[in-house]
Short mmCIF file of all heavy atoms in Angstrom, two decimals:
data_model
loop_
_atom_site.label_atom_id
_atom_site.label_comp_id
_atom_site.label_asym_id
_atom_site.label_seq_id
_atom_site.Cartn_x
_atom_site.Cartn_y
_atom_site.Cartn_z
N MET F 286 0.85 -1.17 0.00
CA MET F 286 0.00 0.00 0.00
C MET F 286 0.89 1.23 0.00
O MET F 286 1.81 1.37 0.78
CB MET F 286 -0.90 -0.04 1.23
CG MET F 286 -1.90 1.05 1.26
SD MET F 286 -3.33 0.76 2.32
CE MET F 286 -2.64 0.58 3.91
N SER F 287 0.59 2.16 -0.89
CA SER F 287 1.43 3.34 -1.01
C SER F 287 1.04 4.39 0.03
O SER F 287 -0.03 4.36 0.61
CB SER F 287 1.30 3.93 -2.41
OG SER F 287 0.00 4.47 -2.59
N ASP F 288 1.96 5.34 0.24
CA ASP F 288 1.70 6.42 1.19
C ASP F 288 0.55 7.31 0.72
O ASP F 288 -0.23 7.79 1.52
CB ASP F 288 2.95 7.26 1.40
CG ASP F 288 4.02 6.50 2.18
OD1 ASP F 288 3.63 5.62 2.96
OD2 ASP F 288 5.20 6.79 1.99
N ARG F 289 0.47 7.53 -0.58
CA ARG F 289 -0.58 8.39 -1.10
C ARG F 289 -1.95 7.77 -0.87
O ARG F 289 -2.90 8.45 -0.53
CB ARG F 289 -0.35 8.64 -2.58
CG ARG F 289 -1.37 9.58 -3.14
CD ARG F 289 -1.07 9.94 -4.56
NE ARG F 289 -2.02 10.96 -4.97
CZ ARG F 289 -1.80 11.84 -5.87
NH1 ARG F 289 -0.66 11.87 -6.48
NH2 ARG F 289 -2.71 12.71 -6.19
N HIS F 290 -2.05 6.46 -1.03
CA HIS F 290 -3.32 5.78 -0.81
C HIS F 290 -3.73 5.89 0.66
O HIS F 290 -4.88 6.18 0.96
CB HIS F 290 -3.21 4.31 -1.22
CG HIS F 290 -4.44 3.51 -0.92
ND1 HIS F 290 -5.61 3.70 -1.62
CD2 HIS F 290 -4.68 2.56 0.00
CE1 HIS F 290 -6.52 2.87 -1.14
NE2 HIS F 290 -5.98 2.17 -0.17
N SER F 291 -2.81 5.73 1.55
CA SER F 291 -3.15 5.83 2.97
C SER F 291 -3.47 7.26 3.36
O SER F 291 -4.32 7.49 4.23
CB SER F 291 -2.02 5.27 3.83
OG SER F 291 -0.86 6.03 3.66
N ASP F 292 -2.83 8.26 2.73
CA ASP F 292 -3.16 9.66 3.00
C ASP F 292 -4.57 10.00 2.54
O ASP F 292 -5.31 10.66 3.24
CB ASP F 292 -2.16 10.59 2.33
CG ASP F 292 -0.79 10.57 3.00
OD1 ASP F 292 -0.71 10.08 4.15
OD2 ASP F 292 0.17 11.04 2.37
N SER F 293 -4.94 9.53 1.35
CA SER F 293 -6.28 9.81 0.86
C SER F 293 -7.33 9.09 1.69
O SER F 293 -8.42 9.63 1.93
CB SER F 293 -6.41 9.42 -0.60
OG SER F 293 -6.34 8.02 -0.76
N THR F 294 -7.01 7.89 2.15
CA THR F 294 -7.92 7.15 3.01
C THR F 294 -8.10 7.86 4.34
O THR F 294 -9.22 8.00 4.84
CB THR F 294 -7.40 5.72 3.24
OG1 THR F 294 -7.22 5.09 1.97
CG2 THR F 294 -8.35 4.91 4.07
N ALA F 295 -7.02 8.36 4.90
CA ALA F 295 -7.10 9.08 6.17
C ALA F 295 -7.87 10.38 6.01
O ALA F 295 -8.68 10.74 6.87
CB ALA F 295 -5.70 9.36 6.69
N ARG F 296 -7.66 11.08 4.91
CA ARG F 296 -8.37 12.33 4.65
C ARG F 296 -9.87 12.07 4.52
O ARG F 296 -10.69 12.79 5.08
CB ARG F 296 -7.84 12.99 3.39
CG ARG F 296 -8.42 14.36 3.14
CD ARG F 296 -7.85 15.06 1.90
NE ARG F 296 -6.44 14.84 1.65
CZ ARG F 296 -5.95 14.11 0.65
NH1 ARG F 296 -6.76 13.54 -0.21
NH2 ARG F 296 -4.65 13.95 0.48
N GLN F 297 -10.22 11.02 3.81
CA GLN F 297 -11.63 10.68 3.64
C GLN F 297 -12.25 10.28 4.98
O GLN F 297 -13.39 10.63 5.26
CB GLN F 297 -11.78 9.56 2.62
CG GLN F 297 -13.19 9.37 2.13
CD GLN F 297 -13.26 8.42 0.96
OE1 GLN F 297 -12.30 7.71 0.66
NE2 GLN F 297 -14.38 8.40 0.29
N GLY F 298 -11.50 9.59 5.79
CA GLY F 298 -11.99 9.22 7.12
C GLY F 298 -12.23 10.44 7.99
O GLY F 298 -13.21 10.50 8.75
N ARG F 299 -11.36 11.44 7.88
CA ARG F 299 -11.56 12.68 8.65
C ARG F 299 -12.79 13.44 8.18
O ARG F 299 -13.53 13.99 8.99
CB ARG F 299 -10.31 13.56 8.56
CG ARG F 299 -9.16 13.07 9.40
CD ARG F 299 -8.04 14.10 9.48
NE ARG F 299 -7.46 14.43 8.18
CZ ARG F 299 -6.44 13.80 7.62
NH1 ARG F 299 -5.88 12.77 8.25
NH2 ARG F 299 -5.96 14.17 6.45
N VAL F 300 -13.02 13.45 6.88
CA VAL F 300 -14.21 14.12 6.34
C VAL F 300 -15.47 13.42 6.86
O VAL F 300 -16.44 14.09 7.25
CB VAL F 300 -14.19 14.13 4.79
CG1 VAL F 300 -15.53 14.55 4.21
CG2 VAL F 300 -13.09 15.04 4.29
N ILE F 301 -15.45 12.12 6.89
CA ILE F 301 -16.59 11.36 7.40
C ILE F 301 -16.82 11.67 8.88
O ILE F 301 -17.95 11.90 9.31
CB ILE F 301 -16.38 9.85 7.18
CG1 ILE F 301 -16.38 9.51 5.70
CG2 ILE F 301 -17.44 9.03 7.91
CD1 ILE F 301 -15.88 8.13 5.37
N ALA F 302 -15.76 11.72 9.65
CA ALA F 302 -15.88 11.99 11.08
C ALA F 302 -16.44 13.38 11.34
O ALA F 302 -17.31 13.56 12.20
CB ALA F 302 -14.52 11.83 11.75
N VAL F 303 -15.96 14.37 10.61
CA VAL F 303 -16.46 15.74 10.78
C VAL F 303 -17.93 15.82 10.37
O VAL F 303 -18.73 16.49 11.04
CB VAL F 303 -15.59 16.73 9.99
CG1 VAL F 303 -16.24 18.10 9.92
CG2 VAL F 303 -14.21 16.82 10.59
N THR F 304 -18.30 15.14 9.30
CA THR F 304 -19.69 15.14 8.85
C THR F 304 -20.61 14.53 9.91
O THR F 304 -21.68 15.07 10.19
CB THR F 304 -19.83 14.37 7.53
OG1 THR F 304 -18.97 14.94 6.56
CG2 THR F 304 -21.27 14.40 7.03
N ILE F 305 -20.19 13.42 10.50
CA ILE F 305 -21.00 12.79 11.54
C ILE F 305 -21.13 13.71 12.75
O ILE F 305 -22.22 13.86 13.32
CB ILE F 305 -20.39 11.43 11.94
CG1 ILE F 305 -20.53 10.42 10.80
CG2 ILE F 305 -21.04 10.89 13.21
CD1 ILE F 305 -19.77 9.14 11.00
N ALA F 306 -20.04 14.35 13.14
CA ALA F 306 -20.08 15.25 14.29
C ALA F 306 -21.00 16.45 14.03
O ALA F 306 -21.83 16.81 14.89
CB ALA F 306 -18.67 15.73 14.63
N LEU F 307 -20.88 17.07 12.86
CA LEU F 307 -21.72 18.22 12.55
C LEU F 307 -23.20 17.84 12.41
O LEU F 307 -24.09 18.61 12.82
CB LEU F 307 -21.23 18.91 11.28
CG LEU F 307 -19.89 19.62 11.39
CD1 LEU F 307 -19.47 20.19 10.04
CD2 LEU F 307 -19.94 20.70 12.45
N ALA F 308 -23.47 16.66 11.86
CA ALA F 308 -24.85 16.21 11.75
C ALA F 308 -25.46 15.97 13.13
O ALA F 308 -26.63 16.31 13.38
CB ALA F 308 -24.92 14.93 10.92
N GLY F 309 -24.68 15.42 14.03
CA GLY F 309 -25.16 15.22 15.39
C GLY F 309 -25.42 16.53 16.11
O GLY F 309 -26.44 16.69 16.80
N ILE F 310 -24.52 17.48 15.93
CA ILE F 310 -24.70 18.79 16.56
C ILE F 310 -25.94 19.49 15.99
O ILE F 310 -26.72 20.09 16.74
CB ILE F 310 -23.43 19.65 16.37
CG1 ILE F 310 -22.31 19.09 17.23
CG2 ILE F 310 -23.69 21.10 16.71
CD1 ILE F 310 -20.96 19.71 16.96
N LEU F 311 -26.15 19.39 14.68
CA LEU F 311 -27.33 19.99 14.07
C LEU F 311 -28.60 19.35 14.61
O LEU F 311 -29.57 20.05 14.91
CB LEU F 311 -27.27 19.85 12.55
CG LEU F 311 -28.47 20.42 11.78
CD1 LEU F 311 -28.58 21.93 12.02
CD2 LEU F 311 -28.35 20.11 10.31
N ALA F 312 -28.60 18.04 14.77
CA ALA F 312 -29.79 17.36 15.29
C ALA F 312 -30.07 17.75 16.73
O ALA F 312 -31.22 17.91 17.14
CB ALA F 312 -29.62 15.85 15.17
N ILE F 313 -29.03 17.93 17.52
CA ILE F 313 -29.21 18.30 18.92
C ILE F 313 -29.72 19.73 19.05
O ILE F 313 -30.61 20.02 19.86
CB ILE F 313 -27.89 18.11 19.70
CG1 ILE F 313 -27.56 16.62 19.82
CG2 ILE F 313 -27.96 18.76 21.07
CD1 ILE F 313 -26.17 16.34 20.34
N PHE F 314 -29.16 20.63 18.26
CA PHE F 314 -29.50 22.05 18.39
C PHE F 314 -30.61 22.52 17.45
O PHE F 314 -30.90 23.73 17.41
CB PHE F 314 -28.25 22.91 18.19
CG PHE F 314 -27.27 22.79 19.31
CD1 PHE F 314 -26.02 22.22 19.10
CD2 PHE F 314 -27.59 23.23 20.58
CE1 PHE F 314 -25.11 22.11 20.14
CE2 PHE F 314 -26.69 23.12 21.63
CZ PHE F 314 -25.45 22.56 21.40
N ALA F 315 -31.24 21.63 16.72
CA ALA F 315 -32.31 22.03 15.80
C ALA F 315 -33.45 22.75 16.52
O ALA F 315 -33.90 23.80 16.03
CB ALA F 315 -32.82 20.82 15.03
N PRO F 316 -33.95 22.25 17.64
CA PRO F 316 -35.04 22.99 18.31
C PRO F 316 -34.60 24.39 18.78
O PRO F 316 -35.36 25.36 18.65
CB PRO F 316 -35.39 22.12 19.51
CG PRO F 316 -34.86 20.79 19.21
CD PRO F 316 -33.68 20.99 18.32
N MET F 317 -33.39 24.49 19.29
CA MET F 317 -32.90 25.77 19.77
C MET F 317 -32.70 26.75 18.60
O MET F 317 -32.99 27.93 18.74
CB MET F 317 -31.59 25.58 20.53
CG MET F 317 -31.16 26.79 21.30
SD MET F 317 -29.57 26.63 22.14
CE MET F 317 -29.59 24.99 22.76
N LEU F 318 -32.22 26.25 17.49
CA LEU F 318 -32.02 27.12 16.32
C LEU F 318 -33.34 27.71 15.83
O LEU F 318 -33.40 28.90 15.48
CB LEU F 318 -31.36 26.34 15.19
CG LEU F 318 -29.88 26.08 15.30
CD1 LEU F 318 -29.41 25.16 14.18
CD2 LEU F 318 -29.11 27.38 15.25
N THR F 319 -34.38 26.89 15.80
CA THR F 319 -35.67 27.41 15.32
C THR F 319 -36.23 28.46 16.28
O THR F 319 -36.83 29.44 15.84
CB THR F 319 -36.68 26.28 15.13
OG1 THR F 319 -36.81 25.54 16.34
CG2 THR F 319 -36.25 25.36 14.01
N ILE F 320 -36.02 28.28 17.58
CA ILE F 320 -36.50 29.26 18.55
C ILE F 320 -35.69 30.55 18.45
O ILE F 320 -36.25 31.65 18.42
CB ILE F 320 -36.45 28.68 19.97
CG1 ILE F 320 -37.48 27.55 20.12
CG2 ILE F 320 -36.71 29.76 21.01
CD1 ILE F 320 -37.36 26.76 21.40
N ILE F 321 -34.37 30.42 18.41
CA ILE F 321 -33.51 31.61 18.37
C ILE F 321 -33.74 32.42 17.09
O ILE F 321 -33.80 33.65 17.13
CB ILE F 321 -32.03 31.21 18.49
CG1 ILE F 321 -31.73 30.70 19.89
CG2 ILE F 321 -31.11 32.37 18.14
CD1 ILE F 321 -30.35 30.11 20.05
N LEU F 322 -33.86 31.72 15.97
CA LEU F 322 -34.04 32.40 14.69
C LEU F 322 -35.49 32.79 14.42
O LEU F 322 -35.78 33.47 13.43
CB LEU F 322 -33.52 31.52 13.55
CG LEU F 322 -32.02 31.19 13.59
CD1 LEU F 322 -31.66 30.22 12.49
CD2 LEU F 322 -31.20 32.47 13.50
N GLY F 323 -36.41 32.34 15.28
CA GLY F 323 -37.82 32.67 15.12
C GLY F 323 -38.46 32.00 13.92
O GLY F 323 -39.35 32.57 13.29
N LEU F 324 -38.00 30.80 13.60
CA LEU F 324 -38.52 30.08 12.44
C LEU F 324 -39.73 29.23 12.81
O LEU F 324 -39.98 28.94 13.98
CB LEU F 324 -37.42 29.19 11.85
CG LEU F 324 -36.16 29.89 11.38
CD1 LEU F 324 -35.10 28.87 10.99
CD2 LEU F 324 -36.46 30.81 10.22
N GLU F 325 -40.45 28.82 11.81
CA GLU F 325 -41.60 27.95 12.01
C GLU F 325 -41.11 26.54 12.33
O GLU F 325 -39.98 26.16 11.98
CB GLU F 325 -42.46 27.92 10.75
CG GLU F 325 -43.05 29.28 10.41
CD GLU F 325 -43.85 29.24 9.12
OE1 GLU F 325 -44.18 28.14 8.64
OE2 GLU F 325 -44.14 30.31 8.60
N PRO F 326 -41.96 25.71 12.94
CA PRO F 326 -41.56 24.32 13.28
C PRO F 326 -41.17 23.47 12.07
O PRO F 326 -40.41 22.52 12.21
CB PRO F 326 -42.79 23.76 13.97
CG PRO F 326 -43.50 24.95 14.51
CD PRO F 326 -43.24 26.05 13.54
N ARG F 327 -41.67 23.81 10.90
CA ARG F 327 -41.32 23.00 9.73
C ARG F 327 -39.83 23.10 9.41
O ARG F 327 -39.25 22.19 8.81
CB ARG F 327 -42.15 23.39 8.53
CG ARG F 327 -41.91 24.79 8.03
CD ARG F 327 -42.80 25.12 6.87
NE ARG F 327 -42.55 26.49 6.44
CZ ARG F 327 -43.16 27.04 5.44
NH1 ARG F 327 -44.06 26.36 4.76
NH2 ARG F 327 -42.88 28.27 5.10
N TYR F 328 -39.18 24.19 9.80
CA TYR F 328 -37.75 24.32 9.58
C TYR F 328 -36.96 23.43 10.52
O TYR F 328 -35.86 22.98 10.18
CB TYR F 328 -37.31 25.78 9.71
CG TYR F 328 -37.79 26.63 8.56
CD1 TYR F 328 -38.88 27.48 8.72
CD2 TYR F 328 -37.18 26.55 7.33
CE1 TYR F 328 -39.33 28.24 7.67
CE2 TYR F 328 -37.63 27.31 6.27
CZ TYR F 328 -38.70 28.15 6.44
OH TYR F 328 -39.15 28.90 5.38
N GLU F 329 -37.51 23.17 11.69
CA GLU F 329 -36.86 22.22 12.60
C GLU F 329 -36.84 20.84 11.96
O GLU F 329 -35.83 20.13 12.02
CB GLU F 329 -37.61 22.18 13.92
CG GLU F 329 -36.98 21.27 14.94
CD GLU F 329 -37.72 21.27 16.27
OE1 GLU F 329 -38.55 22.16 16.51
OE2 GLU F 329 -37.43 20.38 17.08
N ILE F 330 -37.94 20.46 11.34
CA ILE F 330 -37.99 19.17 10.64
C ILE F 330 -37.00 19.17 9.49
O ILE F 330 -36.35 18.15 9.21
CB ILE F 330 -39.42 18.88 10.16
CG1 ILE F 330 -40.33 18.69 11.38
CG2 ILE F 330 -39.47 17.66 9.27
CD1 ILE F 330 -41.80 18.59 11.07
N LEU F 331 -36.86 20.30 8.80
CA LEU F 331 -35.88 20.40 7.72
C LEU F 331 -34.47 20.18 8.25
O LEU F 331 -33.66 19.48 7.62
CB LEU F 331 -35.98 21.76 7.04
CG LEU F 331 -35.00 22.02 5.89
CD1 LEU F 331 -35.28 21.06 4.74
CD2 LEU F 331 -35.09 23.45 5.43
N PHE F 332 -34.16 20.77 9.43
CA PHE F 332 -32.85 20.54 10.03
C PHE F 332 -32.64 19.06 10.34
O PHE F 332 -31.55 18.53 10.14
CB PHE F 332 -32.69 21.37 11.30
CG PHE F 332 -32.57 22.85 11.07
CD1 PHE F 332 -33.10 23.74 11.99
CD2 PHE F 332 -31.95 23.36 9.95
CE1 PHE F 332 -33.00 25.11 11.80
CE2 PHE F 332 -31.84 24.73 9.74
CZ PHE F 332 -32.37 25.61 10.67
N TYR F 333 -33.69 18.40 10.84
CA TYR F 333 -33.58 16.97 11.12
C TYR F 333 -33.35 16.16 9.84
O TYR F 333 -32.58 15.20 9.83
CB TYR F 333 -34.83 16.45 11.83
CG TYR F 333 -34.95 16.89 13.27
CD1 TYR F 333 -36.14 17.39 13.77
CD2 TYR F 333 -33.87 16.78 14.15
CE1 TYR F 333 -36.26 17.77 15.09
CE2 TYR F 333 -33.97 17.16 15.46
CZ TYR F 333 -35.18 17.66 15.93
OH TYR F 333 -35.28 18.05 17.23
N LEU F 334 -34.03 16.53 8.77
CA LEU F 334 -33.86 15.81 7.50
C LEU F 334 -32.45 16.01 6.93
O LEU F 334 -31.86 15.08 6.39
CB LEU F 334 -34.91 16.26 6.50
CG LEU F 334 -36.34 15.80 6.79
CD1 LEU F 334 -37.31 16.42 5.79
CD2 LEU F 334 -36.44 14.30 6.76
N ILE F 335 -31.93 17.21 7.07
CA ILE F 335 -30.55 17.47 6.62
C ILE F 335 -29.58 16.64 7.44
O ILE F 335 -28.64 16.03 6.90
CB ILE F 335 -30.23 18.98 6.73
CG1 ILE F 335 -31.02 19.77 5.70
CG2 ILE F 335 -28.74 19.23 6.56
CD1 ILE F 335 -30.98 21.27 5.90
N SER F 336 -29.82 16.57 8.74
CA SER F 336 -28.96 15.78 9.61
C SER F 336 -29.03 14.29 9.24
O SER F 336 -28.01 13.61 9.19
CB SER F 336 -29.38 16.00 11.06
OG SER F 336 -28.61 15.20 11.91
N MET F 337 -30.24 13.80 8.99
CA MET F 337 -30.39 12.40 8.62
C MET F 337 -29.71 12.10 7.28
O MET F 337 -29.09 11.04 7.12
CB MET F 337 -31.87 12.03 8.54
CG MET F 337 -32.10 10.56 8.39
SD MET F 337 -33.79 9.94 8.49
CE MET F 337 -34.82 11.34 8.36
N ALA F 338 -29.81 13.02 6.33
CA ALA F 338 -29.15 12.84 5.04
C ALA F 338 -27.63 12.77 5.23
O ALA F 338 -26.95 11.97 4.58
CB ALA F 338 -29.52 13.97 4.09
N ALA F 339 -27.10 13.61 6.12
CA ALA F 339 -25.66 13.58 6.38
C ALA F 339 -25.24 12.25 7.02
O ALA F 339 -24.19 11.70 6.68
CB ALA F 339 -25.26 14.75 7.28
N PHE F 340 -26.06 11.74 7.94
CA PHE F 340 -25.75 10.44 8.54
C PHE F 340 -25.78 9.32 7.51
O PHE F 340 -24.91 8.43 7.51
CB PHE F 340 -26.73 10.11 9.68
CG PHE F 340 -26.43 10.82 10.97
CD1 PHE F 340 -27.41 11.53 11.61
CD2 PHE F 340 -25.17 10.76 11.55
CE1 PHE F 340 -27.15 12.18 12.81
CE2 PHE F 340 -24.90 11.39 12.74
CZ PHE F 340 -25.90 12.11 13.37
N ILE F 341 -26.77 9.34 6.64
CA ILE F 341 -26.86 8.30 5.60
C ILE F 341 -25.69 8.40 4.63
O ILE F 341 -25.09 7.39 4.24
CB ILE F 341 -28.22 8.39 4.87
CG1 ILE F 341 -29.34 7.98 5.83
CG2 ILE F 341 -28.24 7.52 3.62
CD1 ILE F 341 -30.73 8.25 5.32
N TRP F 342 -25.33 9.63 4.24
CA TRP F 342 -24.18 9.82 3.36
C TRP F 342 -22.92 9.27 4.03
O TRP F 342 -22.11 8.58 3.39
CB TRP F 342 -24.01 11.31 3.03
CG TRP F 342 -22.81 11.59 2.20
CD1 TRP F 342 -22.72 11.53 0.85
CD2 TRP F 342 -21.50 11.94 2.67
NE1 TRP F 342 -21.43 11.83 0.45
CE2 TRP F 342 -20.68 12.09 1.55
CE3 TRP F 342 -20.96 12.15 3.93
CZ2 TRP F 342 -19.34 12.43 1.66
CZ3 TRP F 342 -19.63 12.50 4.03
CH2 TRP F 342 -18.83 12.64 2.91
N SER F 343 -22.76 9.56 5.31
CA SER F 343 -21.58 9.08 6.03
C SER F 343 -21.54 7.56 6.09
O SER F 343 -20.48 6.96 5.95
CB SER F 343 -21.57 9.63 7.46
OG SER F 343 -21.47 11.02 7.44
N LEU F 344 -22.70 6.96 6.28
CA LEU F 344 -22.77 5.50 6.31
C LEU F 344 -22.36 4.90 4.98
O LEU F 344 -21.56 3.95 4.93
CB LEU F 344 -24.18 5.05 6.68
CG LEU F 344 -24.42 3.55 6.75
CD1 LEU F 344 -23.62 2.94 7.89
CD2 LEU F 344 -25.89 3.26 6.93
N VAL F 345 -22.86 5.46 3.89
CA VAL F 345 -22.53 4.95 2.55
C VAL F 345 -21.04 5.13 2.25
O VAL F 345 -20.37 4.20 1.77
CB VAL F 345 -23.41 5.64 1.48
CG1 VAL F 345 -22.92 5.32 0.08
CG2 VAL F 345 -24.86 5.23 1.65
N VAL F 346 -20.51 6.31 2.53
CA VAL F 346 -19.10 6.57 2.24
C VAL F 346 -18.20 5.73 3.13
O VAL F 346 -17.16 5.24 2.69
CB VAL F 346 -18.80 8.08 2.37
CG1 VAL F 346 -17.32 8.36 2.20
CG2 VAL F 346 -19.59 8.85 1.34
N THR F 347 -18.60 5.53 4.38
CA THR F 347 -17.81 4.67 5.27
C THR F 347 -17.80 3.24 4.76
O THR F 347 -16.76 2.57 4.79
CB THR F 347 -18.39 4.70 6.70
OG1 THR F 347 -18.37 6.05 7.17
CG2 THR F 347 -17.59 3.83 7.64
N TRP F 348 -18.94 2.76 4.26
CA TRP F 348 -19.01 1.41 3.70
C TRP F 348 -18.08 1.29 2.49
O TRP F 348 -17.34 0.31 2.37
CB TRP F 348 -20.45 1.09 3.30
CG TRP F 348 -20.59 -0.27 2.70
CD1 TRP F 348 -20.57 -0.59 1.38
CD2 TRP F 348 -20.72 -1.50 3.41
NE1 TRP F 348 -20.70 -1.93 1.22
CE2 TRP F 348 -20.80 -2.52 2.45
CE3 TRP F 348 -20.80 -1.83 4.74
CZ2 TRP F 348 -20.94 -3.85 2.80
CZ3 TRP F 348 -20.95 -3.17 5.08
CH2 TRP F 348 -21.01 -4.15 4.12
N LYS F 349 -18.11 2.28 1.61
CA LYS F 349 -17.24 2.25 0.43
C LYS F 349 -15.76 2.31 0.82
O LYS F 349 -14.93 1.61 0.24
CB LYS F 349 -17.57 3.41 -0.51
CG LYS F 349 -18.87 3.25 -1.23
CD LYS F 349 -19.11 4.42 -2.16
CE LYS F 349 -20.41 4.27 -2.89
NZ LYS F 349 -20.66 5.38 -3.81
N LEU F 350 -15.45 3.12 1.82
CA LEU F 350 -14.06 3.21 2.30
C LEU F 350 -13.61 1.88 2.89
O LEU F 350 -12.50 1.43 2.65
CB LEU F 350 -13.95 4.33 3.33
CG LEU F 350 -12.56 4.62 3.89
CD1 LEU F 350 -11.65 5.14 2.79
CD2 LEU F 350 -12.65 5.62 5.03
N TRP F 351 -14.48 1.25 3.65
CA TRP F 351 -14.16 -0.05 4.24
C TRP F 351 -13.94 -1.09 3.14
O TRP F 351 -13.01 -1.90 3.23
CB TRP F 351 -15.27 -0.48 5.18
CG TRP F 351 -15.06 -1.82 5.78
CD1 TRP F 351 -14.06 -2.21 6.64
CD2 TRP F 351 -15.85 -2.99 5.55
NE1 TRP F 351 -14.21 -3.54 6.95
CE2 TRP F 351 -15.30 -4.03 6.31
CE3 TRP F 351 -16.99 -3.24 4.81
CZ2 TRP F 351 -15.84 -5.30 6.33
CZ3 TRP F 351 -17.53 -4.51 4.83
CH2 TRP F 351 -16.96 -5.52 5.58
N GLN F 352 -14.79 -1.09 2.13
CA GLN F 352 -14.64 -2.04 1.03
C GLN F 352 -13.33 -1.81 0.27
O GLN F 352 -12.67 -2.75 -0.15
CB GLN F 352 -15.82 -1.92 0.05
CG GLN F 352 -17.13 -2.41 0.62
CD GLN F 352 -17.12 -3.90 0.87
OE1 GLN F 352 -16.58 -4.67 0.07
NE2 GLN F 352 -17.69 -4.30 1.99
N LYS F 353 -12.96 -0.52 0.11
CA LYS F 353 -11.72 -0.18 -0.60
C LYS F 353 -10.48 -0.65 0.17
O LYS F 353 -9.49 -1.08 -0.43
CB LYS F 353 -11.67 1.31 -0.84
CG LYS F 353 -10.49 1.77 -1.66
CD LYS F 353 -10.59 3.24 -2.01
CE LYS F 353 -10.04 4.07 -0.89
NZ LYS F 353 -9.92 5.50 -1.25
N THR F 354 -10.53 -0.59 1.48
CA THR F 354 -9.35 -0.93 2.28
C THR F 354 -9.32 -2.39 2.71
O THR F 354 -8.39 -2.80 3.39
CB THR F 354 -9.30 -0.05 3.54
OG1 THR F 354 -10.48 -0.23 4.31
CG2 THR F 354 -9.15 1.41 3.17
N ARG F 355 -10.30 -3.17 2.33
CA ARG F 355 -10.29 -4.58 2.71
C ARG F 355 -9.18 -5.36 2.05
O ARG F 355 -8.64 -6.30 2.62
CB ARG F 355 -11.63 -5.23 2.36
CG ARG F 355 -12.68 -4.98 3.40
CD ARG F 355 -13.97 -5.65 3.03
NE ARG F 355 -13.81 -7.09 3.06
CZ ARG F 355 -14.73 -7.93 2.61
NH1 ARG F 355 -15.83 -7.47 2.07
NH2 ARG F 355 -14.55 -9.22 2.66
N ASN F 356 -8.84 -5.02 0.84
CA ASN F 356 -7.83 -5.81 0.09
C ASN F 356 -6.44 -5.31 0.33
O ASN F 356 -6.03 -4.30 0.43
CB ASN F 356 -8.15 -5.79 -1.39
CG ASN F 356 -9.45 -6.49 -1.66
OD1 ASN F 356 -9.84 -7.40 -0.92
ND2 ASN F 356 -10.15 -6.09 -2.71
#
């Protein structure tokens, strides 16, 4: 395995980790954001959907990364 391959794998892993962390923070603070910004409750649901999409994206990319590094 070359150094470049391991660097790109590590970089992709960091992107996945940051995405998971930000999605979790968005899901936790979604109710507070809607209150602070004075938004309607439907925007809170939008924040939850964005967070869920980020989690699903992270799951798919993590699966692909795992498959790539198996060999």
Side-chain angles (χ1 to χ4, degrees):
M286 186 159 60
S287 68
D288 289 333
R289 183 174 186 153
H290 176 71
S291 63
D292 288 344
S293 68
T294 303
R296 186 178 323 110
Q297 194 170 14
R299 286 190 298 271
V300 168
I301 294 167
V303 168
T304 303
I305 291 170
L307 291 177
I310 289 171
L311 179 62
I313 291 170
F314 290 114
M317 192 183 320
L318 283 173
T319 55
I320 292 171
I321 290 172
L322 297 175
L324 300 173
E325 297 178 15
R327 65 182 179 178
Y328 289 103
E329 182 178 346
I330 294 172
L331 179 65
F332 290 146
Y333 288 133
L334 289 174
I335 291 169
S336 178
M337 189 173 14
F340 282 128
I341 291 170
W342 177 85
S343 297
L344 179 66
V345 170
V346 175
T347 301
W348 179 266
K349 288 181 180 181
L350 183 65
W351 177 65
Q352 291 293 320
K353 185 173 85 171
T354 59
R355 278 181 66 189
N356 295 332

